[in-house]
Amino acid sequence: MNTFLHLMPGMIPAIPEIFLGFAICLVLLFEVFVGVRRPGATATLTLFVLVVGAALTARYADVGHQMVLFNGMYVTDPLAFVLKLAGFLFVAVALLYSRMYLESRNILRGEYYVLALTALLGIFVIVSANSLLTVYIGVELLALSVYAMVAFDRESGVAAESAMKYFVLGAIASGTLLYGMSIIYGLTGTLDLGVIATKLTASGSLGVILGLTFIVVAVAFKLGAVPFHMWLPDVYEGAPTSVTLFVGTAPKIAYFALMLRLLAHGLAGTSADWTLMLTPLAVLTLIVGNLVAIAQSNLKRMLAYSTIGHVGFIVLGFVAGTPSGYSASLYYTLVYVLVALGSFGVILLASRKGFEADKLEHYKGLYQRDPLLALVMMMLMFSLAGVPPFVGFWAKLRIIQALWETSHLGLVIVSVVMSVVGAFYYLRVVKLMYFDAPPENLPATLRPLGPRFVIGVNAAAALVLGILPSPLLDLCSRLIH
Amino acid sequence: MQAHLLSILIWLPIAAGIVVLLLGERHIGAARWLSLLASIATLALSLPLLADFNTHTAAYQFVEKAPWIPRFNAYYALGVDGISLPLVVLTALMTIPVIIAAWTVVKSRAAQYFAAFLIMEGLMIGVFSATDALLFYFFWEAMLIPMFLIIGIWGGPRRVYATIKFFLYTFLGSVFMLAALIYMYLKAGSYSIAAFQALPLTLVEQRWIFLAFLLAFAVKVPMWPVHTWLPDAHVEAPTGGSVILAAIMLKMGGYGFLRFSLPITPDACRELNLLVITLSLIAVIYIGLVAIVQADMKKLIAYSSIAHMGFVTLGAFVVYEIVRTTGQVQGAAMGMDGAMVQMVSHGLISGALFLCVGVLYDRMHTREISAYGGVINTMPMFAAFMVMFALANTGLPGTSGFVGEFLVILASFKASFWYSTLAATTLILGASYTLWMVKRVLYGPVANDHVAHLTDLNGREFLVLGMLAVLVLAIGIWPEPLLKIMEPSIHHLVTQAVATKIPA
C-alpha cells in the first residue's frame, strides 16, 4: 500500500474518495454475484467497507494543514478530515439501525447500500470542494443518490410521491445553484473558490448580488430553510423510515460544508450581503419550524419540522459571520446529527413487519413496553430541546454566544424564545412515553442486540458529551480558523 | 475528604439514585433502604459543613476548583458561604422525610420515585454550591428533568397539564438568564460568579440583565403574576414532589436574587426596587386573600407559599428603600437576614404542612377540605402536629415562622411605615387562611364515616413530623446560630448591593 501511495504522492489526501469509489464498484459486483443469493451479506460488507474507509482515512488523510489538489478543484484540511471521519461513522450507524427495518419490508437489497455509499461520496466531494464545479458535482451526486433512496420501496405509493416531489423541487434548486454559479463565473472568470475569494472583495455590484441570491436560495433549499422547506416534511414522512434516517443525518454535514466552502470561504467578500439574506431566512426557519412542529401528529413529520427549527440555529451561526459563528454551526451540526441518528433509530426499532411506528400515539406507554428504548428516546428528546446535562444545550449555547459576540440582540431573543417553544413538543413525546398507559394492540418493539447496544451508546454519548463538552467544543473551534 | 465534601454531597445522592434505578422494582426493598441510607449519609456528610464553617468570613469555604471547559474559562467550582450553606443543609435534610413518607405509599415504579428524588437532591445541592455561573445554570436546568418526571408520573389527574406548564414556565424564565450570563461572560472573560459581581456594567446593561434575572427568579420564587404554575404543580404533584418543590425549589429563586441580582446589577436593583417591592406586597396581600377561598388543602398551602415567599423578595429589596430613607446601611442587613431566615423556615414549615396533607391523603385519598372535619377525634397526635405547623405558618412567636417575618416587617418599617403596615397584614391573612383550614379539617364533630375510621400516625410518620417540629421550634426559640452563620455573608452582600457598578 505504501509503495503504491508513494507513486502518487499528490493523491494521498484523497484516499477517502478514492477508496470509496473502488468500494462502490466492489459492493455493486458483490451484490450481483453473492448478494442476490444471500441477502444481508452486502449489508455486512458495506459496514466492513465503512470501517476500513474510516481506518484508512484516519491513517492517511490527516495532512494537518490545508492542501489544494487536482488543479485547484479539491481542497483538504483538518476540517475535511474530521467531517469525512464523521461521515463514515454516521453512515455506518445509520445503516446499522436500518438493517432489520429493510429486512422486514423486503427491501434489503445491495442497491440500497450502493446508493448510500454514492451519497456518502457526494458528501465527501462537497466537503472537499474548492471549485464551483466540484461543489456542483458533489451536490448532484448526493441528491441523485438520495432521490433514488427515497423511492426505493417501489411498492409504496407515498414514497414514490415524495421522491417525485423531492426530485422536481430538487432539480429546480440545482438549476438555481447552477445559474447563480454561472453568474459568479461570468463576473470573475474563474471557478476556483480561492480565486473568487480574492476577486470578489467588495459587495455592492448588482450582478454579484443577483448571483448570490440564486446561490443562497439553492443552499436554503438543500438545508430546508423556510420558505424553501416545503419538500422536507413530505420527504421525511413519505420515505421509508430508514431513508428518513439517512436523509436527516449525514447529508447535514455536507450542507454545512457547502455553506462554509461556498459562502464563508469563496464568497467571503460579499458576506455583508449574504448575512443580510440569511437573517430573515434563519428567523423564519426558527419560527415556522418550531411552531408547526407542535401541530404534528406524525412523529416523522414532527421531527422533520424540528429539523427545520434546528437548521434555523445552524444558519444563525452563519448570520453571525465570524469564525466563532462557523465553529458554533459546525458543533451544532455534529451534535444535531448525532442526536437525530438516535431519535430516528428509535422509530426504526419501534417498527416491525407490517407496522410503522411513525404516529405519536404509537409511543404511548413506550416505557412499559420497552424501558430501554423509552429512556434512550427521552434522553435524545431532552437533548434536542437543549436541556442540560445533554449535549444539545451546549450547541444552543454556542450559537447564542456567537450571536452575542456580533451584538445580534434581536436574534438572541428569537432563538431563546423558540427553544422554549421547541421544548414543548419534545416534552410531549416524553409525556406519551412515560405518563400515558400503553394501548393494547401495539406490537412489541424490535430487540436486536447490536442496534440496541449502539443506540444505547448513542444516547449515552449525548449525555457524556453534555457533561464533558470540552473536547468536541475545542475540536470545532480548532477546525475553523 | 474535607476538600471534596461538596462534590461528595452532589454526586453521592446522584450515584445512589442511579444504583436505585438499576435495582429497579424487583429489588424494591433494597432500593428503599439504599435510598434512605444515601439520604441520611448525605445529611450526615453535610453536618461537617456546619461544624467546620468559619463564621467570621464572607469568603467561600470548602472551595473546590477544577477546569471544566477551559475554552470558556468555565470551572467546576464549588464553595459555600453563609447564604448557600443553610440551603445546602436544608436540601440534605428535606430529602429524608420525602423518602420516608413514600416508604410504602408509592406503589407504582417506586424505585424510580426514590431515584428521581435522590438525583434531584444532588442537583439542587449543586445549584446552591456552584460558584461558577455556567455550572450553576447546568444544575439549575438539569433539575427540571427529574421534577418534570416526578409530577408527570406520580401526580394527580391533571398531572400532564401541570408538569408541562411547570417545565415551560421555568424553562422560559431560565433561557433569558442564560442569554444574560453569556453576555456577561463575553465582557468578563470568565463564568465565575465573583467575576460577574466585580464586572462594571452601565445602567442600561444592568437593567436588561436585571430583567432577565427577574424573569428567571420570579418564575421560580414564584412572584405574582408568574406564579400560576405553582398551585397547579403542587396540587398534581405527589406528596414528596410538593415537599421538595415548596421546601427547596422555591428557594432557588430567592437564592438567585441574593446571589445574582443584588450583587451583579445593584444599580438596576436600586432603580427598579419598587417594582419588586410592589410585586412582593401584592403576593403577600392578594395571594393571601386568594388562599382563604381555596377548597383544596394543597392549593391553599401552595398559595400560602407564594405569600410567604413574598417576604423573601421584600426583605431582599427593601434594602434600597432603607438606605434611601435612613441613609444607613446597618438596618438594611436586617431585611436580608429576615429573607434568609424566612427561606429556611418556610422550607421546614411548608414541607411539614405538605407532609401533613400527605398523611391525610394517604388515608382518605382526597384533599378537599370539605371532605374532612373532626379529624382530631380520631387522630389526636396528628392534629397536634398539624396545629403546631399551622401556627408556625401564621408566624407565631416561638416558631421559626415568626423570626423571618418579624425581621422583614421590622426592616421595612425603617423604609416606610406603609410597607410594614401592608406586609404586616400577613399576620391577619395568614392566620385566617391557615387557622380556618385547621378549624374545618381538624375540629368540630366527626364529619363522616371515613373520618371516623381514620388511624393516627404510625411510627414512620411520627418520626418525620417530629423531626421537623423540633427544628421549627429550635429556630424559633434560638435563631442565633443560624443568624451567625449568615452574618458575614449578608454583611458583604449588603455592601455589594448598595455599591455602584456603573463605570465612571
Side-chain angles (χ1 to χ4, degrees), chain A residues 193-453:
Chain A
L193 284 170
V195 182
I196 292 176
T198 55
K199 289 205 171 173
L200 285 183
T201 46
S203 56
S205 133
L206 198 61
V208 175
I209 291 178
L210 192 67
L212 195 58
T213 313
F214 282 106
I215 289 178
V216 167
V217 167
V219 170
F221 174 86
K222 291 291 170 196
L223 278 166
V226 179
F228 308 102
H229 68 290
M230 300 298 186
W231 62 274
L232 199 140
D234 291 337
V235 169
Y236 273 43
E237 187 186 351
T241 309
S242 62
V243 178
T244 311
L245 164 67
F246 190 90
V247 177
T249 50
K252 301 286 182 248
I253 303 176
Y255 299 140
F256 165 79
L258 178 67
M259 288 217 281
L260 190 77
R261 300 273 189 228
L262 205 55
L263 296 178
H265 174 217
L267 299 167
T270 60
S271 67
D273 294 317
W274 56 255
T275 48
L276 207 61
M277 294 178 196
L278 288 181
T279 309
L281 280 181
V283 171
L284 274 177
T285 307
L286 274 175
I287 294 175
V288 171
N290 281 310
L291 287 181
V292 180
I294 294 175
Q296 305 307 317
S297 60
N298 181 303
L299 182 59
K300 277 159 81 180
R301 215 175 163 82
M302 188 202 96
L303 286 177
Y305 279 104
S306 122
T307 304
I308 297 175
H310 289 286
V311 162
F313 275 100
I314 294 173
V315 175
L316 277 179
F318 281 85
V319 170
T322 54
S324 160
Y326 305 146
S327 79
S329 286
L330 171 61
Y331 184 75
Y332 204 105
T333 309
L334 291 176
V335 165
Y336 172 73
V337 172
L338 176 79
V339 177
L341 264 181
S343 36
F344 285 111
V346 169
I347 304 183
L348 287 175
L349 292 182
S351 306
R352 67 183 328 169
K353 201 175 178 68
F355 169 70
E356 198 80 30
D358 59 353
K359 295 273 188 312
L360 277 173
E361 64 198 48
H362 295 151
Y363 291 82
K364 274 190 180 167
L366 183 66
Y367 164 74
Q368 267 128 324
R369 298 190 292 131
D370 189 340
L372 175 77
L373 215 52
L375 180 69
V376 164
M377 191 63 162
M378 177 177 78
M379 291 165 77
L380 297 170
M381 288 296 120
F382 277 120
S383 182
L384 285 174
V387 182
F390 298 104
V391 65
F393 165 68
W394 300 105
K396 293 218 162 72
L397 179 127
R398 277 296 282 119
I399 295 286
I400 296 172
Q401 187 186 325
L403 291 173
W404 264 136
E405 282 164 357
T406 46
S407 307
H408 284 97
L409 173 64
L411 293 179
V412 169
I413 292 176
V414 172
S415 57
V416 296
V417 170
M418 280 305 139
S419 50
V420 177
V421 174
F424 172 72
Y425 54 85
Y426 298 123
L427 288 183
R428 201 173 50 183
V429 176
V430 177
K431 171 234 160 198
L432 288 170
M433 296 189 304
Y434 275 82
F435 305 164
D436 289 357
E440 294 193 345
N441 50 0
L442 281 187
T445 50
L446 293 175
R447 307 213 169 191
L449 207 60
R452 278 173 79 83
F453 175 74

Side-chain angles (χ1 to χ4, degrees), chain B residues 79-133:
Chain B
V80 285
D81 64 357
I83 294 170
S84 45
L85 176 66
L87 296 171
V88 168
V89 179
L90 182 70
T91 310
L93 178 76
M94 290 308 289
T95 306
I96 299 177
V98 168
I99 287 178
I100 298 181
W103 203 249
T104 53
V105 177
V106 173
K107 298 245 161 31
S108 77
R109 308 195 204 172
Q112 292 176 41
Y113 184 86
F114 293 124
F117 278 102
L118 286 174
I119 291 173
M120 204 149 73
E121 177 183 14
L123 295 174
M124 290 187 300
I125 292 178
V127 168
F128 291 128
S129 51
T131 58
D132 184 283

Side-chain angles (χ1 to χ4, degrees), chain B residues 237-322:
Chain B
T239 303
S242 288
V243 172
I244 291 298
L245 203 56
I248 318 291
M249 284 186 70
L250 304 191
K251 308 303 169 290
M252 290 183 180
Y255 174 75
F257 278 120
L258 298 180
R259 179 68 81 219
F260 286 84
S261 299
L262 293 177
I264 293 178
T265 60
D267 301 287
C269 290
R270 182 176 308 120
E271 192 187 53
L272 298 168
N273 70 337
L274 280 180
L275 173 69
V276 180
I277 290 178
T278 313
L279 294 181
S280 310
L281 289 173
I282 292 177
V284 171
I285 299 165
Y286 168 70
I287 299 295
L289 289 169
V290 172
I292 295 179
V293 298
Q294 296 307 315
D296 180 311
M297 283 189 272
K298 264 191 161 181
K299 220 166 191 165
L300 191 148
I301 304 170
Y303 279 111
S304 132
S305 290
I306 303 171
H308 281 104
M309 289 304 287
F311 271 91
V312 175
T313 45
L314 178 66
F317 278 83
V318 83
V319 168
Y320 295 100
E321 289 298 301
I322 297 176

Side-chain angles (χ1 to χ4, degrees), chain B residues 395-406:
Chain B
L396 184 80
T399 64
S400 61
F402 171 74
V403 182
E405 285 180 13
F406 182 70

Side-chain angles (χ1 to χ4, degrees), chain B residues 70-242:
Chain B
R71 151 148 253 104
F72 297 157
N73 212 350
Y75 287 85
Y76 173 77
L78 304 173
V80 285
D81 64 357
I83 294 170
S84 45
L85 176 66
L87 296 171
V88 168
V89 179
L90 182 70
T91 310
L93 178 76
M94 290 308 289
T95 306
I96 299 177
V98 168
I99 287 178
I100 298 181
W103 203 249
T104 53
V105 177
V106 173
K107 298 245 161 31
S108 77
R109 308 195 204 172
Q112 292 176 41
Y113 184 86
F114 293 124
F117 278 102
L118 286 174
I119 291 173
M120 204 149 73
E121 177 183 14
L123 295 174
M124 290 187 300
I125 292 178
V127 168
F128 291 128
S129 51
T131 58
D132 184 283
L134 202 55
L135 189 65
F136 167 85
Y137 189 83
F138 193 76
F139 285 126
W140 170 278
E141 287 276 89
M143 206 189 53
L144 290 179
I145 297 175
M147 199 64 200
F148 174 74
L149 295 173
I150 286 169
I151 301 176
I153 296 177
W154 295 279
R158 290 175 70 230
R159 59 187 195 275
V160 171
Y161 167 78
T163 195
I164 289 185
K165 189 171 177 183
F166 157 77
F167 191 101
L168 291 182
Y169 254 80
T170 32
F171 196 50
L172 178 71
S174 322
V175 288
F176 285 99
M177 171 167 72
L178 177 66
L181 294 180
I182 296 173
Y183 179 81
M184 285 189 288
Y185 155 70
L186 291 172
K187 291 204 80 167
S190 148
Y191 272 107
S192 132
I193 295 178
F196 286 175
Q197 292 176 348
L199 179 72
L201 292 165
T202 67
L203 190 56
V204 180
E205 287 173 320
Q206 286 196 32
R207 249 183 242 148
W208 282 103
I209 294 170
F210 173 81
L211 290 176
F213 282 154
L214 182 66
L215 199 58
F217 302 141
V219 167
K220 263 290 202 289
V221 164
M223 294 169 80
W224 184 87
V226 285
H227 65 282
T228 58
W229 64 271
L230 186 78
D232 287 318
H234 265 311
V235 171
E236 301 305 333
T239 303
S242 288

